[in-house]
Amino acid sequence: MAEITLDRIVAVQAAYIRCIDSNALEGWPDFFTDDCLYKVTTAENRNNGFEAGIIYADSKAMLIDRVLALRQANIYEKQSYRHILGLPTIVKNGGNEAETETPFLVVRIMHDGQSDVFATGVYIDKLRAQGDQLKFASRIAVCDSSRIDTLMAIPL
Amino acid sequence: MAEITLDRIVAVQAAYIRCIDSNALEGWPDFFTDDCLYKVTTAENRNNGFEAGIIYADSKAMLIDRVLALRQANIYEKQSYRHILGLPTIVKNGGNEAETETPFLVVRIMHDGQSDVFATGVYIDKLRAQGDQLKFASRIAVCDSSRIDTLMAIPL
Amino acid sequence: MAEITLDRIVAVQAAYIRCIDSNALEGWPDFFTDDCLYKVTTAENRNNGFEAGIIYADSKAMLIDRVLALRQANIYEKQSYRHILGLPTIVKNGGNEAETETPFLVVRIMHDGQSDVFATGVYIDKLRAQGDQLKFASRIAVCDSSRIDTLMAIPL
């Protein structure tokens, strides 16, 4: 079957972070397949073979719950975030799935305007074509630093 | 009519920041249409419906004036800048125009070598094809932080 | 002859930094042609016409030596790095070579989790097609800051 083009991969990666950074979180779960895996972990955890990570969800329903919880916590007043994605690598591509790795950098902007590097790492993704849409069947956000805020206010 | 390809969008976005970061400012106004809109504003201003912003120009002639003023102020000795663009989202595309959003991060490098995050935000653009060239009919740089230097030395 | 596509340029740029950031340095020299030029320098040096730079290698063999030296120094325990690449500009393209410029940002993550901007700059590259592979015939990493650690632990 045809390969998934770079254009489509760029489009879904860019749309995903646009959704988060514009605080349109209710649309975030729709980037995933129903039976998705979503995980935030650290490079150290990963190297040590620890599966758990910081955030773990294995269905779209769990992601919807997470958004509800974040909205109730009403944390957004305090800061905003800006994701910058580097160029993606296509590790595997064929049939209706592509495996990609995309470096990320997240800057946190505090209410007083102070900006700092909040997180860096790499998204390890399995993308699946569903009709003309591309969904995350699996997204593992591997953070470089082990000092990640466990009360993380936003999805990565 | 045909859509504007991602390749062309990437090319013009990359060329724009290359122009600025290599201090070739005299070429900067040429990225715009004659009747362009160029605006630098903050997310807070935008959310509050304030139109003014930090910088406002509604013609290419005003951009040319701005470059002249910056050259007279002769500010460039003191620092340099590096723009890093994230992956662009194509919001709308058809005819000879495309609407895109591209996240940016600007690092400022002081004369003593100190580097820090100067600004983050998103470019909200309307690109128009003119022959084989793509021009900014409108570029609104929305900065995440409200603490932006109002004596901004460079265009964003 | 056909031009080298943006897709292929993105692929090799992304694969290069993936190799470094995943600490797979032994694969790094293979991104270059045998008779390559690899140089790390600063914008200030370059503007002043100094050729030497911080790192200079004019063959793939020298790059292999460099990796061996880095492995013996065994520096990797102490920190990790994350390269974020901006959108590339294709300056020239034809025959089996393309000249490109790609902005970069490198974040250093210390063992205690502290992250900071380690370097910014631009890669000035000459890419050469060899069969279905794209190799760096020349890569000059021009750092914006003159305060670059001369005991640089990793290749840029």
Side-chain angles (χ1 to χ4, degrees):
Chain A
M1 251 189 285
E3 296 202 335
I4 296 171
T5 61
L6 178 62
D7 282 27
R8 289 184 73 187
I9 291 166
V10 164
V12 73
Q13 296 283 356
Y16 178 100
I17 58 131
R18 180 173 179 253
C19 171
I20 294 175
D21 289 346
S22 61
N23 193 8
L25 285 192
E26 282 70 16
W28 172 63
D30 275 339
F31 284 92
F32 293 86
T33 61
D34 289 341
D35 62 342
C36 66
L37 173 68
Y38 173 72
K39 214 161 83 169
V40 178
T41 188
T42 65
E44 193 180 16
N45 271 359
R46 200 149 200 269
N47 292 339
N48 292 332
F50 300 149
E51 279 300 315
I54 298 166
I55 299 175
Y56 184 96
D58 60 6
S59 73
K60 185 173 168 174
M62 286 178 71
L63 301 180
I64 294 170
D65 283 351
R66 192 170 168 78
V67 172
L68 289 174
L70 285 171
R71 287 304 190 203
Q72 278 165 356
N74 195 24
I75 271 166
Y76 263 87
E77 307 276 315
K78 295 183 199 146
Q79 65 258 315
S80 68
Y81 296 87
R82 176 63 56 192
H83 290 64
I84 303 285
L85 295 180
L87 303 177
T89 294
I90 303 175
V91 179
K92 208 172 156 184
N93 199 349
N96 62 343
E97 283 198 352
E99 292 179 23
T100 65
E101 292 190 17
T102 308
F104 65 82
L105 166 72
V106 185
V107 175
R108 178 167 54 180
I109 302 98
M110 304 307 286
H111 193 65
D112 69 355
Q114 174 69 33
S115 300
D116 56 90
V117 174
F118 175 67
T120 60
V122 61
Y123 288 124
I124 300 179
D125 296 322
K126 192 174 288 184
L127 288 161
R128 190 179 298 157
Q130 294 189 337
D132 63 351
Q133 290 197 295
L134 216 50
K135 303 270 189 181
F136 290 92
S138 170
R139 157 150 282 193
I140 303 176
V142 183
C143 298
D144 293 322
S145 172
S146 299
R147 205 175 61 176
I148 278 289
D149 195 340
T150 51
L151 297 170
M152 198 179 284
I154 50 147
L156 281 179
Chain B
M1 249 189 287
E3 296 202 335
I4 296 170
T5 60
L6 178 63
D7 282 28
R8 288 184 73 188
I9 292 166
V10 165
V12 74
Q13 295 283 356
Y16 178 100
I17 56 130
R18 181 173 178 252
C19 172
I20 294 175
D21 289 345
S22 62
N23 192 9
L25 284 192
E26 282 69 17
W28 172 64
D30 275 340
F31 284 93
F32 293 86
T33 60
D34 289 341
D35 61 343
C36 66
L37 174 68
Y38 173 73
K39 216 162 83 170
V40 178
T41 188
T42 65
E44 194 180 16
N45 270 358
R46 199 150 201 269
N47 292 339
N48 291 331
F50 300 149
E51 279 300 314
I54 299 166
I55 299 175
Y56 183 96
D58 60 7
S59 73
K60 186 174 170 174
M62 287 178 70
L63 301 180
I64 294 170
D65 283 351
R66 191 169 168 80
V67 171
L68 290 174
L70 285 170
R71 287 304 189 202
Q72 278 164 357
N74 195 23
I75 270 165
Y76 263 87
E77 307 278 314
K78 296 183 198 145
Q79 65 258 312
S80 68
Y81 296 87
R82 176 63 57 192
H83 290 64
I84 303 285
L85 295 181
L87 303 177
T89 293
I90 302 174
V91 179
K92 208 171 154 184
N93 199 346
N96 62 341
E97 283 198 353
E99 293 179 24
T100 66
E101 292 189 18
T102 307
F104 64 82
L105 165 73
V106 185
V107 175
R108 177 168 52 181
I109 303 99
M110 304 307 286
H111 194 65
D112 69 355
Q114 175 68 33
S115 300
D116 56 272
V117 175
F118 175 68
T120 61
V122 61
Y123 288 124
I124 300 179
D125 296 322
K126 192 175 289 184
L127 289 161
R128 191 179 299 156
Q130 294 190 336
D132 63 350
Q133 290 197 295
L134 216 49
K135 302 270 191 183
F136 291 91
S138 170
R139 158 150 282 193
I140 303 175
V142 184
C143 298
D144 294 320
S145 171
S146 299
R147 204 174 62 177
I148 278 288
D149 195 339
T150 51
L151 296 170
M152 198 180 284
I154 51 146
L156 280 179
Chain C
M1 249 189 286
E3 295 202 335
I4 296 171
T5 61
L6 179 63
D7 282 28
R8 287 183 74 188
I9 291 166
V10 165
V12 73
Q13 295 283 357
Y16 177 100
I17 56 131
R18 180 173 179 253
C19 170
I20 294 175
D21 289 346
S22 62
N23 193 9
L25 285 192
E26 282 69 17
W28 173 64
D30 275 340
F31 284 92
F32 293 86
T33 60
D34 288 342
D35 61 344
C36 66
L37 173 68
Y38 173 73
K39 213 161 86 170
V40 178
T41 187
T42 66
E44 194 180 17
N45 271 358
R46 199 147 201 270
N47 292 339
N48 291 332
F50 301 149
E51 279 299 315
I54 299 165
I55 299 175
Y56 184 95
D58 60 7
S59 72
K60 186 173 170 175
M62 286 177 72
L63 301 180
I64 293 170
D65 283 351
R66 191 169 168 80
V67 172
L68 290 174
L70 285 170
R71 287 305 190 202
Q72 277 163 357
N74 195 24
I75 271 166
Y76 262 86
E77 307 277 314
K78 295 183 198 146
Q79 66 258 312
S80 67
Y81 296 87
R82 175 65 55 193
H83 290 65
I84 302 285
L85 295 180
L87 303 177
T89 293
I90 303 175
V91 179
K92 208 170 155 185
N93 199 348
N96 62 341
E97 283 197 354
E99 292 179 24
T100 66
E101 292 189 17
T102 307
F104 64 81
L105 166 73
V106 185
V107 175
R108 177 167 54 180
I109 302 99
M110 304 305 288
H111 194 65
D112 69 355
Q114 174 68 34
S115 300
D116 56 271
V117 175
F118 175 68
T120 60
V122 60
Y123 288 124
I124 301 179
D125 296 322
K126 192 174 288 184
L127 288 161
R128 191 179 298 157
Q130 295 190 336
D132 63 351
Q133 291 197 295
L134 215 50
K135 303 270 190 182
F136 290 92
S138 170
R139 157 151 281 193
I140 303 175
V142 183
C143 298
D144 294 321
S145 172
S146 299
R147 204 175 61 177
I148 278 289
D149 196 340
T150 50
L151 298 170
M152 198 180 284
I154 49 147
L156 281 179

